[in-house]
Amino acid sequence: MGRLIAVVVFVALLVPGVLLARAWGLASGRRSVASAGVELAEPTPEGTATLRRQAAHARRWRRSGLLLGIAGIVASVIALAEASVFLWVPVLAVGLLAGVLLGEATRPRPRWALSDPVRRPRQTEQISPWLVWTMRGVVLAELVTAGWLWSSGDLDGPVAWAVVGVPGAAWLLAEAALLRALVRPMPKEGADVPVDEALRTWTAHLVTAAASVTALLPFGTLLLRIGLDLGERVSESFDVLPVAFVAGGFSALAAGIAVTGFLITWLRPVRAGAPALAG
């Protein structure tokens, strides 16, 4: 009976990861709608220049993130020698994600004329609130779990600082970018409104996905470690708790990998081609 309960718990805890991946799959529809909106209208010269400037700004920061990741790998090799080989992929990933987050949080303000009176969209028009609050919940859960392991002595040194500092910094950058996208006034010219909406939609999804990944992957790793440690300490009559932690860890890792895949699809900049209804 205990094994059956353990299996049920394992399967049940995999469901949140599946639902999160499903929600991000549905978010691709927002990307398609935003792209189509840009194609259905011909932006003003200011709108076209804004698209080019925003794309160039994002590319600069992403290249900087790549260089930051490479610099981190070099530093790890100098400090840990051959033991650093297992850190290369995580360090490079953190650098790339930092480039994405910094690029979105520091986007230059568009130079087009602003609406009068000032109008601002609702965040629900840019991204599903479920994705945003899931990101916040995962970051909070990861920080609490890391803090618990740190205080108990199971996590210390540079690893502890990394699993606390990286998700925390990513969350702050994501919140800053979401706030900027929310409070920025809409453009005056109607032809630039689809451009503005697409830029906000891209920013909201990019930073939410990036912050989610920086929390989901370490959170899943921490849960797996807790579950494996508990599995060595408890008897067969108390095997549900370690199974729950292991299942939660697998769910978080799978969700993190899935969100990474959707994040990559959002990296393509907003582009304005020929109007879809042009003669």
Side-chain angles (χ1 to χ4, degrees), residues 139-263:
V139 172
L140 178 61
E142 196 276 341
L143 293 178
V144 170
T145 304
W148 171 42
L149 292 176
W150 197 350
S151 64
S152 63
D154 293 329
L155 195 67
D156 55 12
V159 175
W161 285 105
V163 297
V164 171
V166 171
W171 171 66
L172 292 176
L173 287 172
E175 291 293 349
L178 289 170
L179 182 61
R180 290 193 66 199
L182 185 63
V183 303
R184 187 176 71 234
M186 296 179 65
K188 180 178 180 180
E189 297 295 333
D192 289 332
V193 171
V195 174
D196 181 61
E197 291 177 348
L199 290 173
R200 294 176 199 262
T201 300
W202 251 251
T203 292
H205 285 84
L206 277 170
V207 298
T208 301
S212 297
V213 170
T214 60
L216 282 168
L217 296 181
F219 183 48
T221 303
L222 293 177
L223 290 180
L224 281 177
R225 176 178 174 177
I226 296 171
L228 294 176
D229 288 345
L230 286 176
E232 296 176 354
R233 301 172 188 171
V234 301
S235 64
E236 291 186 2
S237 59
F238 298 94
D239 59 355
V240 174
L241 188 58
V243 167
F245 278 107
V246 170
F250 275 119
S251 180
L253 289 174
I257 294 171
V259 176
T260 300
F262 292 113
L263 171 62

